[in-house]
Amino acid sequence: DAGITQSPRHKVTETGTPVTLRCHQTENHRYMYWYRQDPGHGLRLIHYSYGVKDTDKGEVSDGYSVSRSKTEDFLLTLESATSSQTSVYFCAHSSRGQDEQFFGPGTRLTVL
Amino acid sequence: GESVGLHLPTLSVQEGDNSIINCAYSNSASDYFIWYKQESGKGPQFIIDIRSNMDKRQGQRVTVLLNKTVKHLSLQIAATQPGDSAVYFCAELYGQNFVFGPGTRLSVLP
Protein backbone atom coordinates (compact mmCIF):
# COMPACT_ATOMS: atom_id res chain seq x y z
CA ASP A 1 0.00 0.00 0.00
CA ALA A 2 1.56 3.28 -1.16
CA GLY A 3 -0.77 5.37 1.01
CA ILE A 4 -2.81 6.45 -1.97
CA THR A 5 -6.24 5.59 -3.31
CA GLN A 6 -8.13 6.50 -6.45
CA SER A 7 -11.84 6.58 -7.17
CA PRO A 8 -13.59 5.38 -9.12
CA ARG A 9 -11.51 2.44 -10.28
CA HIS A 10 -13.55 2.02 -13.44
CA LYS A 11 -15.82 4.41 -15.28
CA VAL A 12 -17.65 4.38 -18.57
CA THR A 13 -19.05 7.66 -19.80
CA GLU A 14 -20.29 9.29 -22.97
CA THR A 15 -18.61 11.90 -25.13
CA GLY A 16 -19.33 15.41 -23.93
CA THR A 17 -20.03 14.58 -20.30
CA PRO A 18 -17.94 15.95 -17.43
CA VAL A 19 -15.89 13.49 -15.41
CA THR A 20 -13.99 13.92 -12.15
CA LEU A 21 -11.40 11.47 -10.90
CA ARG A 22 -10.34 11.56 -7.29
CA CYS A 23 -7.00 10.88 -5.67
CA HIS A 24 -6.43 10.68 -1.92
CA GLN A 25 -3.09 10.24 -0.14
CA THR A 26 -2.43 9.68 3.54
CA GLU A 27 1.29 10.50 3.64
CA ASN A 28 0.97 14.29 3.89
CA HIS A 29 3.23 14.58 0.85
CA ARG A 30 3.51 17.94 -0.81
CA TYR A 31 3.68 16.81 -4.44
CA MET A 32 0.92 15.04 -6.35
CA TYR A 33 0.64 14.06 -10.00
CA TRP A 34 -1.86 12.86 -12.58
CA TYR A 35 -0.66 10.67 -15.43
CA ARG A 36 -2.33 8.82 -18.23
CA GLN A 37 -1.09 5.49 -19.56
CA ASP A 38 -1.81 4.32 -23.09
CA PRO A 39 -0.56 1.33 -25.09
CA GLY A 40 2.79 2.05 -26.70
CA HIS A 41 3.43 5.09 -24.53
CA GLY A 42 5.10 5.60 -21.23
CA LEU A 43 3.26 7.37 -18.47
CA ARG A 44 2.54 10.92 -19.58
CA LEU A 45 2.13 13.75 -17.12
CA ILE A 46 -1.16 15.61 -17.28
CA HIS A 47 -0.92 18.03 -14.35
CA TYR A 48 0.92 18.17 -11.10
CA SER A 49 0.66 20.00 -7.80
CA TYR A 50 3.42 21.28 -5.54
CA GLY A 51 1.15 22.35 -2.70
CA VAL A 52 -2.40 23.29 -1.81
CA LYS A 53 -3.82 25.44 -4.60
CA ASP A 54 -0.47 25.26 -6.46
CA THR A 55 -0.71 23.36 -9.73
CA ASP A 56 1.00 23.33 -13.10
CA LYS A 57 0.55 21.77 -16.50
CA GLY A 58 2.30 18.68 -17.72
CA GLU A 59 2.99 17.29 -21.16
CA VAL A 60 -0.63 16.43 -22.09
CA SER A 61 -2.78 18.93 -20.19
CA ASP A 62 -5.22 19.96 -22.94
CA GLY A 63 -8.79 19.02 -22.02
CA TYR A 64 -7.97 18.48 -18.34
CA SER A 65 -8.09 20.63 -15.25
CA VAL A 66 -7.10 19.90 -11.64
CA SER A 67 -7.78 21.19 -8.19
CA ARG A 68 -6.07 20.74 -4.86
CA SER A 69 -7.94 22.27 -1.95
CA LYS A 70 -6.37 19.99 0.68
CA THR A 71 -2.96 18.36 0.95
CA GLU A 72 -4.45 14.89 0.79
CA ASP A 73 -6.78 15.32 -2.21
CA PHE A 74 -6.05 15.97 -5.87
CA LEU A 75 -8.90 16.01 -8.36
CA LEU A 76 -8.67 15.59 -12.12
CA THR A 77 -11.56 16.91 -14.21
CA LEU A 78 -12.41 16.32 -17.82
CA GLU A 79 -14.80 19.16 -18.55
CA SER A 80 -16.19 17.51 -21.69
CA ALA A 81 -14.88 14.00 -22.20
CA THR A 82 -13.73 12.87 -25.65
CA SER A 83 -12.94 9.40 -26.97
CA SER A 84 -9.23 10.32 -27.09
CA GLN A 85 -9.33 10.56 -23.31
CA THR A 86 -10.10 6.87 -22.98
CA SER A 87 -7.12 5.71 -20.95
CA VAL A 88 -5.87 4.44 -17.63
CA TYR A 89 -5.22 7.30 -15.23
CA PHE A 90 -2.71 7.10 -12.40
CA CYS A 91 -2.24 9.43 -9.52
CA ALA A 92 1.05 9.63 -7.65
CA HIS A 93 2.59 11.49 -4.74
CA SER A 94 6.08 12.27 -3.55
CA SER A 95 7.61 14.08 -0.62
CA ARG A 96 10.23 16.19 -2.36
CA GLY A 97 9.16 16.40 -5.97
CA GLN A 98 12.32 15.11 -7.58
CA ASP A 99 12.45 11.69 -6.01
CA GLU A 100 10.52 8.46 -5.87
CA GLN A 101 6.84 8.70 -6.66
CA PHE A 102 4.23 6.43 -5.09
CA PHE A 103 1.44 5.45 -7.43
CA GLY A 104 -2.20 4.69 -6.90
CA PRO A 105 -3.96 1.64 -8.37
CA GLY A 106 -5.27 3.49 -11.41
CA THR A 107 -8.65 4.37 -12.89
CA ARG A 108 -9.75 2.89 -16.20
CA LEU A 109 -11.84 5.46 -18.04
CA THR A 110 -13.74 4.61 -21.19
CA VAL A 111 -15.36 7.40 -23.18
CA LEU A 112 -17.92 6.13 -25.70
CA GLY B 1 -6.47 -6.09 -15.28
CA GLU B 2 -5.44 -2.93 -17.10
CA SER B 3 -4.30 -3.54 -20.68
CA VAL B 4 -1.09 -1.60 -20.28
CA GLY B 5 1.28 -3.65 -22.33
CA LEU B 6 -0.52 -4.66 -25.51
CA HIS B 7 2.28 -3.39 -27.74
CA LEU B 8 5.29 -3.82 -25.51
CA PRO B 9 8.47 -5.77 -26.27
CA THR B 10 8.54 -8.99 -24.30
CA LEU B 11 11.42 -10.74 -22.59
CA SER B 12 10.83 -14.39 -21.75
CA VAL B 13 13.16 -16.10 -19.28
CA GLN B 14 13.24 -19.43 -17.53
CA GLU B 15 12.55 -19.44 -13.82
CA GLY B 16 15.88 -19.27 -11.99
CA ASP B 17 17.75 -17.56 -14.81
CA ASN B 18 18.93 -13.97 -14.71
CA SER B 19 17.00 -11.27 -16.56
CA ILE B 20 18.35 -8.13 -18.16
CA ILE B 21 15.97 -5.37 -19.15
CA ASN B 22 17.26 -2.41 -21.09
CA CYS B 23 16.23 1.20 -21.41
CA ALA B 24 17.53 3.96 -23.64
CA TYR B 25 16.90 7.35 -22.15
CA SER B 26 16.52 10.60 -23.98
CA ASN B 27 18.30 13.43 -22.27
CA SER B 28 22.00 13.62 -21.49
CA ALA B 29 21.23 16.19 -18.78
CA SER B 30 19.06 13.74 -16.81
CA ASP B 31 20.67 13.06 -13.46
CA TYR B 32 18.37 10.65 -11.67
CA PHE B 33 16.78 7.42 -12.83
CA ILE B 34 14.25 5.00 -11.42
CA TRP B 35 13.12 1.52 -12.41
CA TYR B 36 9.48 0.67 -11.78
CA LYS B 37 7.61 -2.62 -11.85
CA GLN B 38 3.97 -2.74 -12.85
CA GLU B 39 1.88 -5.84 -12.34
CA SER B 40 -1.35 -6.34 -14.20
CA GLY B 41 -4.14 -4.20 -12.78
CA LYS B 42 -1.87 -2.30 -10.40
CA GLY B 43 0.02 0.94 -10.26
CA PRO B 44 3.79 1.15 -10.83
CA GLN B 45 5.97 0.19 -7.90
CA PHE B 46 9.48 1.49 -7.18
CA ILE B 47 12.26 -1.08 -7.56
CA ILE B 48 15.56 0.75 -7.49
CA ASP B 49 17.06 4.11 -8.36
CA ILE B 50 20.44 5.51 -9.38
CA ARG B 51 21.94 8.96 -9.66
CA SER B 52 24.15 10.07 -12.52
CA ASN B 53 27.28 10.16 -10.35
CA MET B 54 27.09 6.36 -10.08
CA ASP B 55 27.55 3.57 -12.63
CA LYS B 56 26.02 0.75 -10.66
CA ARG B 57 23.72 0.21 -7.74
CA GLN B 58 22.61 -3.03 -6.16
CA GLY B 59 19.50 -3.96 -4.28
CA GLN B 60 18.01 -7.22 -3.21
CA ARG B 61 18.26 -9.46 -6.31
CA VAL B 62 18.32 -6.39 -8.56
CA THR B 63 21.14 -4.33 -10.01
CA VAL B 64 20.89 -1.18 -12.08
CA LEU B 65 23.67 -0.18 -14.46
CA LEU B 66 24.01 3.27 -15.93
CA ASN B 67 26.05 4.08 -19.05
CA LYS B 68 25.91 7.83 -19.53
CA THR B 69 28.09 7.74 -22.63
CA VAL B 70 25.40 5.98 -24.64
CA LYS B 71 22.43 7.03 -22.48
CA HIS B 72 21.60 3.50 -21.51
CA LEU B 73 20.15 2.01 -18.38
CA SER B 74 19.73 -1.65 -17.55
CA LEU B 75 18.00 -3.61 -14.83
CA GLN B 76 19.35 -7.01 -13.91
CA ILE B 77 17.20 -9.41 -11.92
CA ALA B 78 18.99 -12.39 -10.41
CA ALA B 79 17.33 -15.81 -10.14
CA THR B 80 14.11 -14.67 -11.76
CA GLN B 81 10.96 -15.89 -10.04
CA PRO B 82 7.33 -16.20 -11.22
CA GLY B 83 6.45 -13.20 -9.08
CA ASP B 84 8.80 -11.10 -11.21
CA SER B 85 6.43 -11.35 -14.18
CA ALA B 86 5.35 -7.78 -14.88
CA VAL B 87 6.01 -4.75 -17.03
CA TYR B 88 9.21 -2.91 -16.16
CA PHE B 89 9.95 0.63 -17.18
CA CYS B 90 12.55 3.25 -16.50
CA ALA B 91 12.03 6.88 -15.64
CA GLU B 92 14.52 9.72 -16.04
CA LEU B 93 14.35 12.99 -14.15
CA TYR B 94 14.65 15.75 -16.68
CA GLY B 95 14.11 19.23 -15.30
CA GLN B 96 11.38 19.10 -12.69
CA ASN B 97 9.53 16.01 -13.83
CA PHE B 98 10.08 12.45 -14.83
CA VAL B 99 9.97 11.09 -18.37
CA PHE B 100 8.85 7.47 -18.47
CA GLY B 101 9.81 4.81 -20.99
CA PRO B 102 7.11 2.59 -22.52
CA GLY B 103 8.36 -0.51 -20.75
CA THR B 104 9.25 -4.15 -21.34
CA ARG B 105 7.08 -7.09 -20.38
CA LEU B 106 8.96 -9.79 -18.48
CA SER B 107 7.45 -13.26 -18.77
CA VAL B 108 8.85 -15.98 -16.50
CA LEU B 109 8.57 -19.48 -17.89
CA PRO B 110 8.22 -22.47 -15.52
Side-chain angles (χ1 to χ4, degrees):
Chain A
D1 183 1
I4 183 169
T5 56
Q6 294 182 231
S7 61
R9 292 293 314 278
H10 301 270
K11 186 172 181 65
V12 179
T13 191
E14 294 188 348
T15 297
T17 60
V19 176
T20 295
L21 307 183
R22 292 171 171 75
C23 179
H24 179 81
Q25 56 117 342
T26 57
E27 303 299 314
N28 201 35
H29 281 171
R30 178 180 173 189
Y31 294 84
M32 296 187 76
Y33 308 83
W34 276 108
Y35 294 92
R36 60 179 289 172
Q37 189 174 44
D38 304 289
H41 293 272
L43 289 164
R44 291 183 291 175
L45 183 64
I46 304 171
H47 282 280
Y48 66 100
S49 170
Y50 46 95
V52 173
K53 292 187 171 34
D54 292 323
T55 65
D56 206 349
K57 295 179 180 180
E59 176 189 357
V60 290
S61 60
D62 287 349
Y64 302 95
S65 63
V66 291
S67 66
R68 187 147 178 226
S69 59
K70 296 186 291 185
T71 298
E72 58 266 36
D73 294 323
F74 194 31
L75 305 182
L76 177 70
T77 297
L78 291 66
E79 299 292 345
S80 178
T82 66
S83 58
S84 65
Q85 293 176 311
T86 292
S87 187
V88 180
Y89 291 86
F90 287 98
C91 179
H93 63 89
S94 76
S95 60
R96 291 175 295 176
Q98 296 183 350
D99 60 0
E100 175 189 357
Q101 295 182 9
F102 301 89
F103 286 85
T107 295
R108 172 177 284 281
L109 175 67
T110 302
V111 183
L112 302 176
Chain B
E2 317 299 354
S3 56
V4 164
L6 289 179
H7 308 294
L8 293 176
T10 298
L11 172 67
S12 297
V13 298
Q14 293 291 142
E15 182 178 352
D17 287 353
N18 296 334
S19 302
I20 300 176
I21 301 170
N22 297 304
C23 174
Y25 63 92
S26 305
N27 301 292
S28 55
S30 296
D31 58 5
Y32 179 53
F33 305 87
I34 298 177
W35 277 102
Y36 285 94
K37 172 185 181 183
Q38 187 175 20
E39 296 174 283
S40 182
K42 297 184 178 180
Q45 181 181 11
F46 172 93
I47 302 174
I48 192 168
D49 59 359
I50 188 167
R51 298 206 175 267
S52 59
N53 60 351
M54 303 173 70
D55 297 323
K56 178 180 179 179
R57 191 161 189 228
Q58 289 185 291
Q60 188 175 16
R61 276 202 312 120
V62 294
T63 300
V64 56
L65 299 179
L66 175 62
N67 185 331
K68 294 181 286 292
T69 302
V70 294
K71 294 189 289 186
H72 184 268
L73 202 64
S74 69
L75 176 70
Q76 301 178 0
I77 304 174
T80 310
Q81 302 170 359
D84 295 326
S85 292
V87 173
Y88 292 81
F89 54 87
C90 63
E92 59 178 300
L93 180 63
Y94 182 61
Q96 296 185 82
N97 295 309
F98 283 95
V99 176
F100 293 82
T104 297
R105 177 178 300 283
L106 176 64
S107 178
V108 182
L109 307 173

